[in-house]
Amino acid sequence: MIDFAFFLEIIPTLLSGLPMTVQLAAASISIGFVMALLLALAQQGNHRFVSWPIRTFVAVFRGTPLLVQIFLIYYGLGQFRPSLQDMGLWWLFREPYWCAIIALSLNTAAYGSEILRGAIKGVPHGLVEAATAFGMSRALTLRLVVLPLALRQAIPSYSNEIILMIKGTSLASIITLMEVTGIAQGLISQTYRAVEVFVAAGAIYLAINFTIISALNALEIWLTPYRARA
Amino acid sequence: MKIRHWAAITAAFSMLGFAGTTLAQEAPKAITIATEGAYAPWNFTTADGKLDGLEVELANDLCTRMKVQCTIIAQDWEGLIPSLKVGKFDVIMASMFITPKRLETIDFTQPYAVDPSGFAVAKDSELGKQGGSTEKFKVEDEATSAAAIEKLKHLLKGKVVGVQAATINLEFVKKYFADTVEIREYKTTEQHDLDLAAGRIDAIFTQQTALAATLAKPEFSSFTLAGPGFVGGLFGLGTGAGLRKEDTELKEMLNAAIDAAIADGTIKRISEKWVKTDVTPVK
Amino acid sequence: MMDVAHILGFGHGGWGAALLLASGVTLSLSVFGFLLGAAFGALAAAGRLSSRSIRSWLANAYGVVFRGIPDLLTIYLLYYGGSIALTQIGKFLGSTGFIGLPAFATGVLAIGIISGAYQAEVYRGAYQAVDRGQFDACMALGLSSLQSLRLVIVPQLMRHALPGLGNVWQLVLKDSALISVIGLVELMRQGQIGAGSTREPFVFYIAAGALYFVIAAVTGLFFRYSEARAWRGMVHA
């Protein structure tokens, strides 16, 4: 049943979707990270009018499937073309590419902000007090003490989130983007050999994720030299 | 392992609700027919979850003629052929064209309908201003169809065309228009209809009867059928019921039922009811 | 735009009943998938904790593969591959027919396999969090290994596992939306059907999203309650 010649034939075709997969993942993970950091920081002040909308945003995006979010942002907002045009936003929502990036970024921002909020909370309070005792301003404490420790602490959870996002890009084929999964589906409709095609596509995702996990593990070890020494 | 164990495993499998369909070495008494359920007016789903449309009505008619118990189910378009092959159901009736490519994998009955494919665009677009034509071009008739395609290509230059993935319509657009238009692939035709209305794409390409049904809706009042319809060639012999190659007995039965439905005008009646035009294949 | 109340209502041509029914399918799909995943996860966790390298390698590979490939691919693979495999087994058993996995069973299996990979990590961590002294105490009392698991280890293990399991449950609930791609009419699929038939995608995706949100919130409460119960009589560290 295993036909290596067929695998060799389809892998280049599947790889032609890799740039799209990587672009979607890279863009949404970076945008999502910046948003997540801002959202986590904004909640530090404990202002109700700031944290309440953020909590709602996080709850909504964590409480609903990514598939629903993608559909809603793409087909749902597509119905509001005149209003979006008035707001000058239609160029953005017109393109499936941007809709996918928006949906993926918002989704990962919601999850990411919770990871970072937890990590910031995990920074020992004594360190912050020590920084204050040194006469460091709040901003300086944040930049030199809290964030470096929190970000390092967050790496394992955040690497899980990154893997989930890479897997999430496979949903973009549903809004006409031809990334690896979309191309896999096209190949199946031409060859009707579903198992082989999906195994090959799965191998591509595994390779990407394995690379990322290894890189993040290396980063974590590099950032925690004292642990390696122990 | 002892026989008893096998029996136990088999029993356990059936208890778990694994559906089995049988190979038709003899005339089947009950069959499962799959349709897409998202291609109005050929086949679609109503609010209470029932399947309806031309092909659903025709399927029931054919089953009565064959004196066979039929179950009609919905299945995603892309999964139709793979699922037929692995035996999830026995027959596909989902506006599927009989093409040489598909015949390599599955078998088809004789066509029960012939329906040209064409474009729909905004009325105020360059192509839209030309208006629709009732011309039909046979794709295998190179000389005449090439000229028609050339003309369309010119008018569609740089436009975005939405087509359903895994269809012959997509293959047609890819083969003849890929160098002048941008092609977007949709899971269902409903989705490309939504995007045409939203103005994300400039044109859609599918069967003209389906286009006519879409264009009849109020939100598509500023869109129109455009250019000629295409049949033959890549599009094959027309729309037929797909089935597994080994189910020869079932094929005979379906062919006889389709013959009868053509002969007594049933197909003409059903198609005029649903698609407002007669799609009966001409023998 | 059609009247939203009418579209989502329960009257003639209203989709309310269909959506609620589909929510039921989503919920049962998730529950069965999650329970099957608990079995797979427990097996895989036992494998990872095993001193035999083959078992531990297999369990590790299971986790890496099913957490590493998109769930959509796993679902498609099972949908097409599962039937082919079953038909082969059927032929081996002497059946001449095709055997197809129905969409619901495929969905449960897919969610079971995917969530099992995540649950394995949760169980492994929780097992390691149980105080070593408890194991020694079991030995000292002369309990068999099954007895000690059932009476001593698992009840304590669940305390540590519940928060993680709650997270996996939320993941499962959202993954169940992907089962829509194989044609099972669960909440997402019903939303798509409604969106396509009425050309009101916004209404339907919002409604589907809201129902997912409600299911997630209500079942989340259940997990929190279970956690409180598991810790009753204990002082939180």
Side-chain angles (χ1 to χ4, degrees), chain B residues 19-53:
Chain B
T21 48
T22 41
L23 252 177
Q25 276 122 349
E26 56 209 74
K29 290 193 177 56
I31 55 170
T32 307
I33 300 176
T35 192
E36 191 195 357
Y39 194 64
W42 288 79
N43 57 74
F44 58 92
T45 315
T46 60
D48 45 4
K50 291 210 177 67
L51 291 165
D52 209 349

Side-chain angles (χ1 to χ4, degrees), chain C residues 60-148:
Chain C
N60 199 21
Y62 164 68
V64 170
V65 168
F66 288 101
R67 285 186 301 155
I69 68 173
D71 306 341
L72 195 61
L73 281 185
T74 306
I75 291 163
Y76 277 129
L77 199 59
L78 279 172
Y79 187 59
Y80 296 122
S83 295
I84 293 170
L86 271 178
T87 305
Q88 294 295 328
I89 294 170
K91 272 189 189 149
F92 191 64
L93 292 173
S95 127
T96 49
F98 288 94
I99 303 171
L101 263 179
F104 187 81
T106 313
V108 168
L109 192 61
I111 291 179
I113 289 177
I114 296 164
S115 80
Y118 288 92
Q119 291 191 50
E121 288 301 297
V122 175
Y123 293 133
R124 192 172 65 102
Y127 183 84
Q128 284 168 338
V130 174
D131 187 5
R132 297 298 97 183
Q134 300 286 338
F135 292 86
D136 299 338
C138 288
M139 285 232 289
L141 285 171
L143 294 177
S144 73
S145 54
L146 208 66
Q147 276 177 322
S148 36

Side-chain angles (χ1 to χ4, degrees), chain A residues 71 73-75 77-79 81 90 93-96 99 173-178 182 185-186 188-194, chain B residues 78 81-82 85 101-102 105 160 165-167 171 174 182-187 191-192 194-202:
Chain A
F71 266 102
I73 288 175
Y74 189 72
Y75 291 112
L77 290 183
Q79 280 191 306
R81 179 185 173 186
W90 178 241
F93 290 100
R94 194 193 154 137
E95 297 302 322
C99 287
S173 59
I174 282 156
I175 53 169
T176 78
L177 293 174
M178 286 292 123
Q185 283 165 335
I188 288 164
S189 70
Q190 285 163 28
T191 63
Y192 307 115
R193 293 169 78 167
Chain B
E78 285 173 337
I81 291 180
K85 277 187 69 189
K101 182 88 193 308
R102 288 186 178 131
T105 314
V160 186
T167 59
E171 273 178 46
K174 271 191 176 163
E182 184 192 324
I183 301 167
R184 295 234 179 114
E185 298 180 23
Y186 290 83
K187 301 281 158 195
Q191 289 174 356
H192 68 45
L194 283 171
D195 262 8
L196 181 70
R200 281 201 181 101
I201 52 178
D202 305 302

